[in-house]
Structure formats: C-alpha cells, structure tokens
C-alpha cells in the first residue's frame, strides 16, 4: 500500500525572528518522480527540505512524508529516508569505506557498502581518507551515504553547488540513473540547467513562496514562446520597448543594465525584423545572442530578476 | 552482521578511536605530556631534603673570617661572606636564608615568616656556640629513613594521573563533539536513525579504551623511574579510574552540549578545569587551603579522584574506605550525562 503522495505539505511557514524563510508553501511529490525545488540562494529551499525531514520544526503548516507524520512515526521515517544535506563535512580522518560502514550500521535494511560505492563510482577510493577527496568525490560520498539504506525517498540539497562542470556531470549521471530506476527524489538547486535536465517536475520558489510548478517543458511553454533573443547596443543607445514589442513574433520585452531580452515565438521572423530596425536607426549592436528558452528565462519572466545574481 | 559492518555502538566507538589514533597531537597530549611533566617535576623535587641552606656572614674582618670557619663545619649550611649591602639584598630576595652579623652580641637577621630561615638560625646558632666552646650535656644519635610513598614524587604521580584523566576526558570528548557539530555532522547523524544515547556512549567508550593505555603508561613510568608504589589492589584502582573517567566524560559532554565553536568550548572547558587544577590537590595537598573552603573542594570530582588514587596507590586502602569518593564521582557522571542529554544542541 503506497500512499498517493511521497511528500505532502500544506501552508508551510518558517520564521527566524523577523526573517520569513518559508511563506506558505504547498507541495506534493509523487512516488517515483524526481521533483525539483528551484530558486535563488535564500529562497528557503534548505529550510523547506529540513522541515520535511523533521530536522526543523515549522512555524505553521502540516507535513506528511510517506503517509506518516514526524510527531507519530519519527523512528520509522528515519529508517525509510535518505539524505544529503547542504553543508555536511564528513570526518576527515575516516576512510570512504569506514564512513559508509558507520552510516550503514544505523539502518536495519540497506545495501552492501561495496554496492553503494559502485553506484557513485568511488570503488578505487574506498581506502582513501575523506580528507584526500576532491569536492566532487566528497559530494558523491554524501550521496552514497544517503543511498546506503536503500531509502524509499531521497533528499538531495544542492548536490552540485560549487562543483566544476565535469564533477557536476558525474553527479547528474548518478541522479539520472536513480531516476531511471524509479527512485523518489526531492532535489533542490539554484542551477536552472540542472533542474531542467534532472527533474520530472519543478517548483520554482522565491522568497519562501512557490511561484510556478510544472514539468520543465510546461514551464518553458508557459512563456508562450520558445526562444530568447538577447542584444546590447553601443553607447547604451536604446530602442523603445513599444517598437520592440511591435516586432513580429515577440511576446515579451525585458531590459536590464543595457541588455534587452526578447521572448520570441517565431525566431525566423523576429531576427530579420530586428536587424532592419537596427539598421534604420543606425544603432551599432555590441552583442546578439539567441537561444532556446530555459527555466532561467521563466524565472526572469516571473520575478524580473535573474536566478544567478543573488 | 558482516553486511551491517557491526552494530552502531561498535561503529560509533570505532569512529572516535580511529580519529583519536590518527591524530598525532592527541597521542602526544595523552601519552607523552604526562610523562614529560612527571619527569621534569620528579627530577626537580627528587633531592629535596638534603639541600644546603644559604647563609651570609656580613663583613670581611677577622671576626667575620672566624664566623665563616665556624659555620663551615655544619654541612647543611652554605656560607658566604658579603658586605652589608649585598647581604641584605640577598636576604630580601630570598637567596640567603639568614644574615649573621659578627660582634657582641652576635646578631641574626632573618625573615621570621620563612621556615628555612628558622632552620638556618638554629643550625648557625649551634655551630657558632660550639665553636665558642659550648659543650652538649647529652649524647644524641640520629636514625634517618627514606620511606617509599612519603616522597614528593609519590604524592605527585597520582595527582598527575588524576589531572590527565580529567584533561583527556574533557578535551577528548568536548572537542570532538563541537567539531562534529561545527562540520554539520551532528545534524546529518540525527537525520539518520542513529540513537542519540549510543552516540554519546560511543564517545565515552572510545575514551575508556584509551584510558587503559594512558593510565598504564603513567603508572608504569612512575613505578620504573621513581619506584612509586601500588599498595592497594589493581581492581580497586580500576574502579577509581573508571569512576573518574566517567565523571569527566560526563563533564566533557556537558560543556560541549551547546557551543558551536571550538573557541566557545575551550572557554567553558578552562572555566571548569582551572579551579580544579589549583584546588583539587594535584601539585600540593588541598588541606593547605583555609578550612572554610574544604567542603567545596571536597565536592570537586578531581579532588575525589586524586584522593582516591592516593588512597589506593600510597595507602593501600580497601574499596570500603573510598565509597564516599566513588559516590561523588558517580554523582558527577550521572548528573552531567543526564543534563547534557537534555540540553544538547544537535545541529
Ligand atoms: N538559522 C537561521 N537563522 C536565521 N535565518 C536563517 C536561518 N537559516 C536560514 N535563514 C534565512 O532564511 C532564508 C532562507 O534560507 P535557506 O532556506 O537556507 O535558503 P536556500 O536554501 O534557498 O538558499 C534566508 O534569508 C536565510 O538567511
Ligand atoms: Mg540552501
């Protein structure tokens, strides 16, 4: 008997003194999906997942995990969940294998330590001290520790924050393999490409509130346009937003710091028209980029701010 | 069993043991430090009794010369002839115990609050009177002993042992816990089904394993280098050491319950330990402190541990005589353990 939702929370609120970290969040994570919480730093992602894991008491709201509540079924839930927290430094003097053995010993059921090493590709590092691991390897160890109990529900809080691109790719492969095997995962990130690539559904959060929810495709489609044209003019020469909006295929115009972003449905119509406009006004372009719309554009569209520069 | 890699308590204990063993500094503080301290103090105080007392004879006249010669007969005095300025300077700074001013009457100048000055005066007086022709009216015979167990080093070794059990217990446990908290590991641990009491117990058990070696090394050193005796039973000694270790493990847990930083816990640690360094009879007997302080001093766990160690090592006391001390340490252990479980900060 599986409950219809792996996680369900209603009206979740968390205050730290005057700071409102989470501001009335409703979430539902379905069994077998990889659900993403996407938002800038300080959006309340860590606070939310720590409340969902029974590590912080909420100021208000209700939480149900695997059909259970923390008040009544704490011990059982601890056995069934796996987690990678945002800021855990494992003991530096233990080896990779010893660290896994330590955590494995807390669980009644779970996988062999060697198998957990294999899942994250750390077999050759089994006797290395944690101190000797790279950032990416430490993060893979954290995920192996989270997996060693074969949890029914896995929490990953910013698993790739601060890693170089290659290490991020390796972690993505691990998460994608988990997803392919039908694991239920709640993942937080402030990288839109990560959410787009890894998650079945994404909740976009900002200032402790959910501002959008859907599959990455749905969210991008909600822009009403699939492409983005970005340009900047020399000497800050400006084009009137009204003139830009009148161009064929443009659905939205956003100007910030001298850079103009057009959300565009039919790029083959917009670009020639834009070029003609620029030539007519004798404006010199210093930059012109077009790309497929991403979750980044969704966030920008919803908040007027960019995800990264927080 | 192999699949789980042993029970959680075993794994938690192994974790701490591995961390302690893989830390060269910790090994130094636990093993080398007490031995070096004992060695230094043992050598400094080894030949305490037969040290000669310095006496100055003021002036360089013929009378002064004969006084120097008369005092030179007494081997327990070391005599120098000095001018009056230098003689008083040395008396003031404690470098001579007595100044003899030849003349009629013969004058002794000294600080009447200093014990060695009184002794020097007695010796100098006898030597000078004898040189002037005084005859003793009774024959006297001296019989001396050098009993093991009565020397300063015998007093010191149990004190150092107690100090070491306190220091390593509190530092070992307190530091480890705060570092674990600072690294976000405590939070990660409570996100797993780990039992909190097993975590604490694991810390204490790892300490106890170390303790066996630690106590063994210090006692063996005391016995081999200075012949410090073990007059009571090994069992009784073990019970006292265990009680002390548990008391200080509990205190270590207690001071580490709340601080988020190593600096924070260091402050609390010193606050707890420094008074005991001074009061609990490590380097000198606590009975030297005013009577009014004794009830308080007796309450301190290090006092109980030191008294217990001395009773079993030096007096060969049976377990019945140290029950009060054991109860004191047990009270500290249980009390601090219970309070820390209540106030412990797990994140
Ligand atoms: N322990 C705390 N005390 C006070 N404020 C906090 C605490 N933890 C988080 N906050 C604040 O709550 C907000 C949300 O933080 P967090 O949940 O860590 O965001 P995210 O994980 O999305 O970066 C931030 O403004 C942060 O400064
Ligand atoms: Mg965070």
């Amino acid at each position: 008997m599986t409950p219809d939702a792996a996680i369900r929370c209603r009206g979740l609120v968390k205050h730290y003194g005057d700071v409102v970290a989470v501001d009335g969040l409703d979430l539902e994570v379905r069994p077998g999906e990889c659900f993403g919480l996407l938002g800038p730093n300080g959006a309340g992602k860590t606070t939310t997942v720590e409340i969902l894991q029974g590590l912080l008491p909420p100021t208000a709201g209700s939480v149900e995990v695997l059909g259970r509540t923390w008040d009544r079924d704490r011990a059982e839930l601890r056995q069934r969940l796996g987690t990678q927290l945002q800021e855990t430094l494992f003991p530096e003097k233990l080896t990779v294998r010893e660290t896994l053995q330590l955590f494995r010993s807390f669980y009644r059921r779970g996988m062999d330590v060697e198998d957990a090493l294999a899942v994250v590709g750390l077999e050759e590092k089994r006797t290395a001290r944690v101190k000797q691991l790279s950032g990416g390897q430490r993060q893979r160890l954290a995920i192996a520790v989270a997996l060693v109990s074969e949890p029914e529900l896995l929490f990953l809080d910013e698993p790739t924050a601060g890693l170089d691109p290659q290490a991020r790719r390796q972690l993505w492969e691990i998460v994608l393999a988990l997803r392919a095997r039908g694991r239920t995962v709640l993942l937080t990130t402030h990288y839109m490409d990560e959410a787009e690539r890894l998650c079945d559904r994404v909740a976009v959060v900002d200032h402790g509130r959910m501002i959008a929810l859907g599959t990455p495709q749905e969210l991008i489609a909600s822009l009403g346009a699939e492409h983005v044209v970005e340009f900047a003019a020399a000497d800050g020469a400006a084009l009137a937003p009204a003139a830009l909006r009148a161009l064929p295929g443009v659905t939205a115009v956003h100007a910030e710091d001298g850079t103009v972003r057009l959300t565009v449905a039919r790029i083959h119509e917009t670009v020639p028209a834009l070029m003609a406009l620029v030539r007519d006004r004798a404006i010199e372009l210093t930059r012109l980029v077009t790309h497929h719309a991403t979750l980044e554009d969704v966030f920008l569209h919803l908040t007027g701010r960019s995800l990264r520069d927080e | 069993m192999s699949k789980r890699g042993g029970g959680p308590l075993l794994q938690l204990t192994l974790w701490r043991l591995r961390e302690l063993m893989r830390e060269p500094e910790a090994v130094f503080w636990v093993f080398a430090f007490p031995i070096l301290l004992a060695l230094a103090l043992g050598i400094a105080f080894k030949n305490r009794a037969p040290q000669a007392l310095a006496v100055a004879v003021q002036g360089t006249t013929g009378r002064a010369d004969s006084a120097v010669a008369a005092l030179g007969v007494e081997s327990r005095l070391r005599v120098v002839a000095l001018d009056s300025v230098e003689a008083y300077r040395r008396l003031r700074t404690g470098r001579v115990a007595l100044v003899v001013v030849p003349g009629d009457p013969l004058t002794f100048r000294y600080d009447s609050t200093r014990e060695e000055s009184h002794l020097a005066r007695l010796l100098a007086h006898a030597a000078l009177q004898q040189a002037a022709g005084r005859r003793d009216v009774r024959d006297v015979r001296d019989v001396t002993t050098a009993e093991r167990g009565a020397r300063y080093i015998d007093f010191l070794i149990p004190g150092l042992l107690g100090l070491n059990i306190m220091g390593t217990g509190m530092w070992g446990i307190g530091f480890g816990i705060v570092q674990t908290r600072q690294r976000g590991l405590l939070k990660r641990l409570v996100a797993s089904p780990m039992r909190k009491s097993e975590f604490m117990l694991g810390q204490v058990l790892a300490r106890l394993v170390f303790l066996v070696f630690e106590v063994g090394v210090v006692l063996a050193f005391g016995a081999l280098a200075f012949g410090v005796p073990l007059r009571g039973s090994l069992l009784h000694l073990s019970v006292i050491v265990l009680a002390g270790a548990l008391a200080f493990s509990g205190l270590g847990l207690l001071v580490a319950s709340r601080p988020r930083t190593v600096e924070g816990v260091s402050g609390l640690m010193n606050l707890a330990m420094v008074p005991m360094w001074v009061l609990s009879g490590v380097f000198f007997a606590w009975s030297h402190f005013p009577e009014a302080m004794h009830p308080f001093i007796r309450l301190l766990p290090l006092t109980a541990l030191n008294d217990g160690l001395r009773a079993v090592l030096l007096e060969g006391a049976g377990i019945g005589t140290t029950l009060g001390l054991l109860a004191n340490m047990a009270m500290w252990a249980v009390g601090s353990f219970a309070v820390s479980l209540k106030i412990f900060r797990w994140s």
Side-chain angles (χ1 to χ4, degrees):
Chain A
M1 184 206 72
T2 36
D4 53 337
I7 299 175
R8 179 179 287 135
C9 77
R10 294 264 171 272
L12 203 61
V13 174
K14 179 69 183 180
H15 291 184
Y16 290 109
D18 289 342
V19 179
V20 182
V22 181
D23 192 9
L25 206 59
D26 298 333
L27 282 181
E28 204 168 299
V29 176
R30 299 171 193 150
E33 77 174 336
C34 180
F35 187 93
L37 276 183
L38 172 68
N41 284 330
K45 305 181 296 295
T46 296
T47 307
T48 302
V49 294
E50 289 192 355
I51 293 171
L52 296 178
Q53 295 180 77
L55 295 171
L56 281 176
T59 308
S62 66
V63 174
E64 226 176 75
V65 180
L66 301 172
R68 311 284 163 147
T69 62
W70 284 107
D71 287 341
R72 278 186 291 116
D73 305 301
R74 181 165 289 264
E76 186 202 321
L77 278 174
R78 289 265 173 266
Q79 288 284 348
R80 295 171 65 187
L81 304 185
T83 186
Q84 166 256 315
L85 299 178
Q86 194 177 354
E87 278 163 359
T88 306
L89 299 168
F90 288 103
E92 293 201 327
K93 295 198 168 60
L94 292 192
T95 67
V96 166
R97 208 187 136 75
E98 288 164 351
T99 306
L100 275 165
Q101 274 170 340
L102 173 66
F103 279 88
R104 175 66 186 87
S105 75
F106 302 145
Y107 295 88
R108 285 194 295 268
R109 305 177 297 106
M111 62 170 95
D112 200 85
V113 163
E114 282 299 323
D115 296 338
L117 285 172
V119 171
V120 300
L122 278 180
E123 298 100 318
E124 323 89 273
K125 291 285 172 188
R126 64 170 69 80
T127 57
R129 300 255 175 108
V130 170
K131 189 190 179 77
Q132 299 156 350
L133 299 184
S134 70
Q137 289 167 338
R138 283 174 197 223
Q139 215 48 356
R140 282 190 273 156
L141 171 61
I143 290 178
V145 167
L147 285 173
V148 78
S149 62
E150 297 202 89
E152 292 165 55
L153 171 59
L154 183 63
F155 290 89
L156 302 176
D157 193 2
E158 306 240 17
T160 69
L163 298 185
D164 61 63
Q166 197 203 343
R168 283 182 70 202
R169 299 253 157 217
Q170 286 177 326
L171 279 166
W172 285 7
E173 294 309 318
I174 294 168
V175 176
L176 286 171
L178 293 173
R179 184 177 133 180
R181 279 187 282 149
R183 290 276 176 158
T184 314
V185 180
L186 174 57
L187 173 146
T188 81
T189 182
H190 68 277
Y191 299 116
M192 48 88 192
D193 53 341
E194 183 163 300
E196 218 170 305
R197 181 100 170 78
L198 301 184
C199 299
D200 296 304
R201 290 195 305 146
V202 174
V204 183
V205 290
D206 190 33
H207 298 307
R209 277 176 219 260
M210 193 199 295
I211 54 177
L213 174 69
T215 66
Q217 296 73 27
E218 284 167 357
L219 290 173
I220 292 164
S222 74
L223 288 171
E226 281 182 13
H227 298 277
V228 172
V229 175
E230 227 179 82
F231 67 88
D235 312 325
L239 285 162
L244 291 169
R245 208 167 286 123
L247 292 173
V250 170
T251 59
V253 177
H254 180 86
E256 191 179 306
D257 300 335
T259 298
V260 179
R261 294 168 70 104
L262 306 178
T263 311
V264 170
R266 294 179 306 279
I267 196 164
H268 56 283
E269 292 176 13
T270 310
V271 172
L274 176 65
M275 291 304 107
L277 184 66
V278 164
R279 193 175 335 110
D280 287 352
R281 310 268 169 101
I283 288 172
E284 190 186 332
L285 289 190
T286 54
R287 188 172 127 79
L288 175 68
V289 182
T290 76
H291 62 84
H292 258 280
T294 64
L295 289 179
E296 174 79 35
D297 301 301
V298 175
F299 188 81
L300 191 73
H301 178 71
L302 292 169
T303 65
R305 289 177 292 120
S306 144
L307 259 175
R308 283 162 302 194
D309 51 39
E310 288 300 303
Chain B
M1 197 66 179
S2 74
K3 230 176 174 176
R4 278 187 76 175
L9 185 57
L10 174 65
Q11 285 294 330
L12 285 163
T13 308
L14 280 176
W15 165 26
R16 287 302 296 154
L17 275 178
R18 286 168 173 150
E19 282 203 328
L20 289 169
M21 282 185 309
R22 292 172 190 175
E23 181 126 42
E25 301 94 308
V27 173
F28 171 81
W29 287 108
V30 168
F31 295 113
F33 177 70
I35 288 179
L36 291 178
L37 192 60
L39 194 62
L41 290 169
I43 289 168
F45 290 100
K46 195 166 187 182
N47 303 318
R48 221 158 74 106
Q51 216 175 30
L53 297 165
V55 171
V57 174
Q58 183 188 316
T60 46
T61 57
R63 266 205 291 205
D65 287 345
S66 57
V68 169
L71 291 168
V73 172
E74 174 54 78
S75 65
R76 283 168 292 179
L77 297 179
R78 208 155 28 84
V79 192
V80 280
L82 298 169
D83 64 55
S84 68
V85 176
E86 180 62 14
Y88 292 126
R89 204 173 65 80
R90 290 203 187 176
L91 182 63
R92 267 201 319 278
T93 54
R95 285 161 62 204
V96 300
L98 176 76
V99 175
V100 177
V101 187
D104 206 8
L106 189 65
T107 309
F108 292 130
R109 281 184 174 271
Y110 58 98
D111 180 345
S112 68
T113 65
R114 284 175 58 195
E115 266 176 57
E116 71 266 33
S117 295
H118 281 286
L119 184 56
R121 187 204 168 281
L122 284 174
L123 293 171
H125 183 240
L128 291 167
Q129 295 287 12
Q130 234 150 38
R134 187 181 80 180
R135 290 286 160 265
D136 290 335
V137 291
R138 294 211 43 185
D139 280 343
V140 173
R141 189 164 58 100
D142 290 333
V143 179
T144 60
T145 69
E147 186 73 28
R148 280 200 326 158
R151 302 158 306 168
Y152 181 63
I153 189 71
D154 300 308
F155 179 86
L156 182 66
I157 288 280
L160 286 181
L161 197 56
L163 193 64
N164 205 37
I165 292 171
M166 170 172 85
T168 55
M170 292 194 67
W171 284 112
I173 289 193
F175 237 63
I177 285 181
V178 173
Q179 266 173 352
T180 307
R181 181 179 294 124
Q182 210 169 15
R183 301 174 69 78
L185 245 187
L186 278 184
K187 190 186 251 181
R188 181 61 190 83
L189 287 168
V190 291
S192 80
M194 180 195 75
R195 285 169 197 270
K196 294 173 178 177
S197 53
E198 284 190 337
F199 170 81
M200 294 191 170
L201 213 54
Q203 306 274 324
V204 175
L205 285 179
R207 280 293 317 138
L208 294 185
V209 172
F210 250 61
L211 195 73
V212 174
F213 297 101
E214 195 178 312
V215 171
V217 163
V218 175
L219 280 183
F221 172 80
L224 294 177
F226 297 108
V228 174
L230 165 56
R231 297 210 166 103
S233 73
L234 203 57
L235 175 70
H236 187 194
L237 176 70
S238 310
V239 171
I240 287 173
V241 166
L242 182 70
L246 289 176
F248 289 112
S249 300
L251 276 177
L253 283 175
L254 185 63
V255 293
S257 290
R258 305 291 302 169
R260 292 185 201 273
T261 62
V262 167
E263 292 77 16
V265 77
S266 302
L268 285 180
M269 206 92 81
N270 285 328
L271 195 68
M273 290 200 295
V274 168
M276 289 193 264
W277 268 79
V278 177
L279 295 174
S280 289
V282 176
F283 300 101
F284 55 90
W286 54 265
S287 54
H288 287 302
F289 286 101
E291 200 97 11
M293 291 172 70
H294 288 186
F296 170 71
I297 293 175
R298 262 187 239 272
L299 261 176
L300 299 173
L302 185 58
T303 313
L305 177 57
N306 284 344
D307 287 359
L309 288 171
R310 291 199 176 106
V312 66
L313 288 174
L314 307 181
E315 293 159 30
I319 212 157
T321 58
T322 55
L323 287 180
L325 303 175
L326 288 170
N328 171 320
M329 291 184 273
M331 179 199 79
W332 279 98
V334 172
S336 51
F337 211 90
V339 175
S340 10
L341 255 180
K342 272 223 147 48
I343 65 169
F344 205 82
R345 196 201 297 272
W346 286 99
S347 58

